[in-house]
């Protein structure tokens, strides 16, 4: 049996010691940046941008219908981080958890996002390459609840870690693990009967702060595919969708995810994949699945609240679209030329020439990059770091909004470079936060 060592958050202050305990090396990009968190912060909870400035120094208040409550610093135990990151990040008082398909679950102190440690209790574990399995291999979305981390997995992937499969042939389960990487256990097993992957069947699960959503697609005797969608919450499992689909799911399987950089109050843009496109669904308050029509609407950087779809059209402006009536209301003009925008929360919008996605390529004639931040009341000019002022061909994505900052992602080769904008300051400034180095997974994965 491998030896274990309990993960104690306070030990993270002794980074060298922790590194030995976890059998990993800290990631570091080698860049010479000043850590912004070395500077003392005096922002009070509830602070908003510019509260220390005189009235004449503040940008004008936006008076149109885009006006909402100002974004503020909130207590660390809010779920803002999970909701705005598609549950790829989790926030606790001491720091942030992060997981992706190419990295084991890792932890970093908020004061140093350049030092990420694999959350694994085994002294000699090789993590992704560990032949006996590793409890930190959470390569899907996750949430933190009641001091445990909940995530989905498949027995095919995790079979080495479990002594015995609780159900022979089972595909997908909901599991949890303590925040220190110990005490892994299966919480729920979903129905995977009659799934035949070589016949186009498939399964997938998404975990939100409120529930887990599971789908199974099987080929029935009539030659159609049965799509079953279940919701698992504190009251148990509920079947919310049971329909035949007359096409084979694209890629020979099933895709379930949020659309890239689309946000909402509830799970949004889940999709059964046909060979060409994704069918968008809304999960309603009473656990029904409704398909929505987004034809002609930007599907990236948008926000859905009830049936109001808030989106951005480049070189035009911001619109609220009633998905039932298709009535459009223009809220605000675009702030910058040749820019893109992410409506991350109703009261938080980032617009920049540094942001881009595939549906609208960036323009090459931008002389110098710029960024605007809407905090619920005003548009602010964001001070960019020098290395991003004139960079071309590299685009930022919003990673998450935590209790006290906005995290942004810049992909450089396979590494993830993190930048941050702190909330509750006199003026918004983007600063380098840290780098998450890519970890190559074994070919067997």
């Amino acid at each position: 049996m491998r030896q274990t060592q309990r993960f104690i958050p306070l030990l993270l202050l002794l980074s060298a010691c922790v590194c030995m305990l976890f059998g990993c090396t800290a990631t570091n990009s080698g860049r010479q940046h000043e850590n912004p968190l070395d500077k003392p912060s005096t922002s009070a909870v509830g602070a908003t941008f510019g509260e220390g400035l005189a009235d004449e120094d503040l940008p004008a208040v936006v008076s149109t219908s885009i006006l909402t409550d100002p974004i503020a610093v909130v207590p660390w135990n809010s779920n803002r981080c999970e909701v705005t990151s598609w549950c790829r990040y989790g926030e606790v008082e001491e720091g942030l958890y992060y997981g992706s398909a190419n990295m084991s679950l890792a932890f970093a102190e908020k004061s140093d996002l350049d030092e990420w440690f694999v959350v694994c209790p085994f002294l000699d574990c090789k993590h992704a390459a560990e032949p006996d399995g590793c409890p930190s291999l959470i390569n899907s979305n996750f949430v933190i609840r009641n001091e445990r981390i909940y995530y989905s997995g498949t027995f095919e992937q995790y079979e080495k870690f479990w002594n015995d499969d609780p159900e022979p042939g089972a595909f997908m389960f909901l599991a949890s693990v303590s925040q220190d990487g110990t005490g892994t256990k299966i919480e729920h097993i979903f129905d995977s009967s009659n799934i035949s992957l070589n016949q186009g069947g498939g399964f997938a699960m998404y975990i939100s702060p409120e529930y887990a959503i599971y789908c199974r697609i099987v080929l029935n005797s009539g030659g159609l595919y049965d799509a079953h969608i279940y919701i698992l919450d504190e009251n148990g499992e509920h079947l919310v969708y049971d329909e035949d689909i007359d096409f084979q799911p694209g890629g020979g399987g099933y895709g379930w995810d949020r659309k890239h950089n689309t946000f909402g109050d509830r799970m949004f843009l889940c999709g059964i994949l046909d060979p060409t496109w994704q069918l968008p669904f809304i999960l309603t308050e009473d656990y029904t699945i409704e398909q929505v029509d987004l034809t002609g609407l930007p599907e990236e950087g948008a926000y859905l609240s009830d049936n109001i779809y808030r989106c951005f059209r480049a070189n035009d402006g911001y619109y609220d679209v009633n998905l039932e009536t298709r009535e459009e209301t223009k809220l605000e003009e675009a702030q910058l030329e040749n820019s893109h925008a992410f409506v991350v929360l109703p009261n938080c919008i980032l617009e920049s020439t540094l942001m881009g996605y595939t549906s609208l390529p960036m323009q090459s004639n931008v002389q110098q990059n710029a960024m605007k931040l809407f905090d619920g009341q005003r548009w602010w000019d964001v001070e960019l770091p020098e290395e991003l002022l004139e960079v071309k061909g590299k685009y930022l994505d919003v990673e998450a909004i935590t209790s006290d900052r906005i995290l942004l992602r810049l992909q450089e080769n396979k590494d993830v470079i993190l930048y941050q904008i702190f909330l509750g300051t006199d003026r918004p400034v983007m600063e380098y936060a840290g780098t998450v180095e890519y970890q190559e997974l074994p070919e067997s994965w």
Side-chain angles (χ1 to χ4, degrees):
M1 179 180 294
R2 288 178 289 181
Q3 294 180 324
T4 63
Q5 174 67 46
R6 182 165 295 277
F7 178 92
I8 302 175
L10 293 178
L11 290 178
L12 289 172
L13 298 175
L14 306 174
S15 59
C17 179
V18 173
C19 188
M20 289 188 292
L21 289 174
F22 283 92
C24 64
T25 57
T27 61
N28 196 308
S29 67
R31 293 165 173 252
Q32 300 299 315
H33 288 269
E34 181 182 13
N35 188 333
L37 289 178
D38 288 339
K39 303 175 182 179
S41 174
T42 57
S43 301
V45 172
T48 57
F49 292 117
E51 68 173 11
L53 298 179
D55 289 342
E56 59 268 21
D57 296 326
L58 291 170
V61 173
V62 176
S63 59
T64 65
S65 55
I66 201 173
L67 179 64
T68 59
D69 294 331
I71 186 174
V73 177
V74 297
W76 64 267
N77 60 355
S78 73
N79 66 0
R80 177 189 279 176
C81 178
E82 292 168 336
V83 169
T84 57
S85 69
W86 314 294
C87 305
R88 190 166 58 190
Y89 284 82
E91 182 180 7
V92 295
E93 188 172 13
E94 297 85 5
L96 298 177
Y97 288 87
Y98 170 73
S100 72
N102 296 317
M103 179 178 177
S104 303
L105 184 69
F107 177 88
E109 291 183 70
K110 294 179 183 178
S111 60
D112 191 354
L113 299 184
D114 230 1
E115 300 285 346
W116 292 90
F117 302 95
V118 177
V119 183
C120 172
F122 298 121
L123 296 176
D124 57 349
C125 188
K126 299 178 182 178
H127 310 309
E130 176 57 51
D132 296 326
C134 172
S136 74
L137 292 179
I138 302 177
N139 66 343
S140 61
N141 68 294
F142 65 91
V143 294
I144 302 174
R145 286 293 177 269
N146 300 320
E147 298 183 351
R148 292 186 67 80
I149 299 171
Y150 292 81
Y151 63 98
S152 65
T154 64
F155 288 108
E156 181 181 5
Q157 177 179 343
Y158 286 84
E159 60 184 1
K160 295 179 181 179
F161 182 72
W162 307 100
N163 292 327
D164 296 296
D165 286 356
E167 180 181 326
F171 280 114
M172 185 152 283
F173 58 82
L174 176 68
S176 70
V177 64
S178 297
Q179 293 179 25
D180 60 4
T182 62
T184 303
K185 65 179 182 179
I186 296 177
E187 299 286 350
H188 187 81
I189 298 174
F190 286 90
D191 180 16
S192 57
S193 59
N194 300 321
I195 291 179
S196 179
L197 299 181
N198 60 1
Q199 292 181 327
F203 54 89
M205 182 159 59
Y206 186 91
I207 307 172
S208 80
E210 300 172 314
Y211 40 73
I213 303 178
Y214 171 74
C215 177
R216 60 189 290 272
I217 292 182
V218 297
L219 181 65
N220 62 31
S221 59
L224 299 178
Y225 289 87
D226 291 329
H228 305 136
I229 299 177
Y230 301 89
I231 300 292
L232 176 68
D233 62 11
E234 59 184 7
N235 297 318
E237 189 176 302
H238 315 275
L239 178 64
V240 298
Y241 187 86
D242 184 7
E243 298 287 345
D244 292 338
I245 54 178
D246 60 359
F247 55 81
Q248 180 175 349
Y254 178 81
W256 186 289
D257 204 350
R258 287 189 175 184
K259 195 74 171 180
H260 176 64
N261 292 320
T262 303
F263 302 87
D265 291 342
R266 298 184 66 80
M267 180 64 191
F268 178 56
L269 284 179
C270 317
I272 299 171
L273 291 177
D274 76 1
T276 58
W277 67 298
Q278 186 177 46
L279 301 175
F281 291 91
I282 296 174
L283 177 64
T284 65
E285 294 286 346
D286 59 354
Y287 283 175
T288 59
I289 299 288
E290 296 180 1
Q291 184 176 339
V292 295
D293 180 13
L294 299 180
T295 304
L297 298 177
E299 294 187 21
E300 297 164 304
Y303 192 93
L304 178 76
S305 182
D306 295 326
N307 66 333
I308 302 299
Y309 188 73
R310 179 164 292 177
C311 56
F312 173 76
R313 292 190 173 103
N315 295 318
D316 183 356
Y318 296 85
Y319 290 82
D320 271 357
V321 182
N322 187 312
L323 294 181
E324 293 181 0
T325 65
R326 304 298 290 191
E327 180 182 357
E328 297 190 7
T329 303
K330 189 169 186 177
L331 307 173
E332 183 77 356
E333 297 292 336
Q335 301 296 299
L336 299 167
E337 292 185 3
N338 303 323
S339 62
H340 300 281
F342 296 157
V343 186
V344 188
L345 293 167
N347 58 346
C348 181
I349 302 173
L350 282 168
E351 181 181 340
S352 179
T353 55
L354 267 171
M355 291 178 173
Y357 28 79
T358 56
S359 63
L360 184 60
M362 300 295 290
Q363 302 296 319
S364 60
N365 59 349
V366 176
Q367 298 302 311
Q368 189 173 66
N369 290 315
M371 176 175 286
K372 292 274 191 176
L373 169 62
F374 179 70
D375 72 343
Q377 289 186 315
R378 300 173 172 88
W379 283 103
W380 295 82
D381 291 313
V382 178
E383 182 180 333
L384 297 176
E386 184 176 353
E387 68 267 24
L388 296 183
L389 285 176
E390 297 184 5
V391 66
K392 307 297 180 187
K394 296 182 179 180
Y395 312 132
L396 290 171
D397 282 330
V398 177
E399 282 284 86
I401 301 181
T402 71
S403 60
D404 65 346
R405 73 195 74 180
I406 301 171
L407 281 177
L408 299 103
R409 167 197 186 102
L410 179 67
Q411 197 78 31
E412 186 169 281
N413 296 321
K414 293 184 177 181
D415 295 338
V416 174
I417 300 176
L418 296 175
Y419 287 88
Q420 59 193 0
I421 301 171
F422 283 96
L423 305 175
T425 60
D426 279 349
R427 290 184 176 88
V429 177
M430 183 191 295
E431 299 178 351
Y432 170 80
T435 297
V436 181
E437 294 183 352
Y438 178 83
Q439 294 183 1
E440 196 75 45
L441 293 179
E443 291 184 2
S444 60
W445 284 69

